[in-house]
Amino acid sequence: MPIIGTAGHVDHGKSTLIKALTGKDPDRWQEEKERGLTIDLGFAWTELRPGMTTGFVDVPGHERFMKNMLAGVGALDAALLVVAADQGWMPQTEEHFSVLKLLGIKHGVIALTRSDLASKDTLELVQLELEERIAATLLQSWPVVITSAVTGAGIDLLRKALANTLERSGTPQDRGRPRLWIDRSFSISGTGLVVTGTLTGGIVHQDMELNLFPGSATVRVRGLQIYEREVESVQPGTRVAINLAGLEREDVTRGSLLAAVGQARESTQFLVQIHTVRSIGIKISSRG
């Protein structure tokens, strides 16, 4: 089941757009609802077309919550970059664009939201600016859809564009090396510890043993759920909730890794390639 992640500046309507697409409010915390500001990752799902159940990861756009945004945009099949039609390209639009580029996310759709608040002249200026910003980048080939979550304008066109994009992105491969970076964990009375994330690399099934990092403790999969439905196994590229046996809530933090037993190990060294983004404004030399 494919995963789409949002990106874009604060207050450009990402969460409202996801609610219009799915009928589900991705904001989970009362503070988010009271402030009208996404703070942490939100989740929703829908059928973009018959048989194409798709999960959405909604990320915060405020610069203070950039680390939460980063936790949500790994292992995406496609991105939904949101730009407000009445404001245009903003600082966190650029920042989130850079993240998508560095992660190598090739497939996506750009939604111009809040079109009901933009005059015809403003909308034309924002479209021209957008063309300049994405020129000669991977985003240049992404479809642009003008939308309004308030009036419903463009929502069906956006749903179609997202479905077509997912068809082009292909199916995640089963490499026999399942990995899941945990983005949320919580305890349920009578059930125990539940963790969520997007599975990559391989299949996980009920009663399977996994290693939890850091620490490489061996844990057992007690149960699996996909979009509130219990299943026996999960394919790569799917958001999943895993009920783990033998762990307490304090044993797991966001960013912990689950991997097949014996397939991963901790290390104090790693290799990196450094890529700069256009907003950095300085050159990085070989001396750092």
Side-chain angles (χ1 to χ4, degrees):
M1 296 183 185
I3 307 296
I4 296 172
T6 63
H9 193 75
V10 62
D11 201 32
H12 275 201
K14 296 185 293 299
S15 301
T16 306
L17 188 61
I18 296 305
K19 187 174 182 180
L21 285 167
T22 68
K24 302 175 179 67
D25 187 354
D27 285 339
R28 297 179 289 120
W29 308 117
Q30 185 62 34
E31 183 181 358
E32 292 177 312
K33 299 179 187 299
E34 291 173 353
R35 297 172 62 182
L37 175 70
T38 299
I39 297 172
D40 204 356
L41 301 178
F43 308 97
W45 65 92
T46 191
E47 278 197 346
L48 289 176
R49 62 174 54 147
M52 185 183 278
T53 301
T54 303
F56 288 85
V57 180
D58 185 39
V59 306
H62 196 285
E63 61 181 340
R64 287 174 53 196
F65 306 115
M66 190 64 188
K67 65 178 182 180
N68 292 347
M69 183 270 181
L70 290 169
V73 292
L76 298 180
D77 296 286
L80 175 57
L81 180 63
V82 174
V83 181
D86 60 324
Q87 291 189 353
W89 198 277
M90 299 290 278
Q92 266 58 63
T93 316
E94 179 69 25
E95 194 169 32
H96 286 201
F97 158 78
S98 297
V99 170
L100 298 179
K101 179 182 177 182
L102 291 172
L103 291 176
I105 297 175
K106 299 178 181 179
H107 303 278
V109 175
I110 301 171
L112 284 177
T113 56
R114 305 193 333 190
S115 62
D116 54 300
L117 300 179
S119 67
K120 182 180 178 181
D121 289 343
T122 299
L123 181 57
E124 289 179 354
L125 288 173
V126 168
Q127 288 177 291
L128 288 172
E129 180 191 26
L130 179 62
E131 290 176 4
E132 293 177 358
R133 295 282 188 172
I134 66 175
T137 73
L138 283 173
L139 274 67
Q140 188 171 18
S141 63
W142 291 13
V144 178
V145 183
I146 300 172
T147 68
S148 168
V150 174
T151 67
I155 298 301
D156 288 340
L157 288 175
L158 179 59
R159 189 175 286 110
K160 182 178 180 180
L162 289 169
N164 291 340
T165 295
L166 289 176
E167 286 185 345
R168 291 193 297 271
S169 70
T171 303
Q173 294 184 346
D174 177 6
R175 303 180 183 277
R177 299 182 64 83
R179 302 181 305 281
L180 183 138
W181 295 97
I182 296 170
D183 55 38
R184 189 164 55 121
S185 63
F186 50 91
S187 295
I188 299 177
S189 179
T191 299
L193 180 67
V194 176
V195 301
T196 69
T198 301
L199 180 65
T200 63
I203 296 171
V204 167
H205 57 78
Q206 194 163 345
D207 294 323
M208 183 175 181
E209 290 191 335
L210 301 169
N211 286 144
L212 173 68
F213 297 93
S216 69
T218 300
V219 298
R220 180 175 62 84
V221 176
R222 179 185 288 166
L224 298 163
Q225 277 195 0
I226 301 175
Y227 306 132
E228 300 180 352
R229 178 172 56 89
E230 293 187 4
V231 294
E232 294 292 322
S233 63
V234 180
Q235 299 290 324
T238 304
R239 277 206 62 80
V240 59
I242 305 179
N243 180 204
L244 294 174
L247 287 177
E248 301 296 333
R249 172 66 183 84
E250 56 269 20
D251 295 329
V252 179
T253 59
R254 171 174 285 175
S256 297
L257 172 69
L258 287 173
V261 172
Q263 290 189 350
R265 64 179 182 179
E266 295 176 323
S267 175
T268 57
Q269 297 179 322
F270 55 93
L271 297 175
V272 299
Q273 285 186 321
I274 296 176
H275 299 270
T276 58
V277 296
R278 64 189 185 187
S279 60
I280 196 170
I282 59 173
K283 292 184 177 181
I284 298 178
S285 71
S286 59
R287 294 179 178 269

